[in-house]
Amino acid sequence: MLDTSQDPVPTPTAAPSEEPRGCLFALSQPPLMIFLAVIGGLLLMAALHDLFLL
């Protein structure tokens, strides 16, 4: 038989001093910033190449 009793939904147990981490936390990570800087540099070099050499 199907159990239809209403159990209370368990709440996540997070430490009160721990704040939720958002995208600014992710952007503060050095590997991600290095990756974004490399991609940005490649895009900048391609744009300058198109502007001045083609």
Side-chain angles (χ1 to χ4, degrees):
M1 202 168 226
L2 189 62
D3 184 17
T4 58
S5 62
Q6 296 281 334
D7 290 333
V9 177
T11 58
T13 57
S17 63
E18 183 178 332
E19 297 180 7
R21 295 177 176 175
C23 70
L24 288 179
F25 175 78
L27 283 177
S28 69
Q29 302 304 308
L32 178 62
M33 292 307 294
I34 292 171
F35 172 75
L36 291 177
V38 168
I39 296 300
L42 289 174
L43 288 173
L44 179 65
M45 288 192 317
L48 292 175
H49 176 267
D50 286 349
L51 282 174
F52 296 120
L53 297 179
L54 290 179

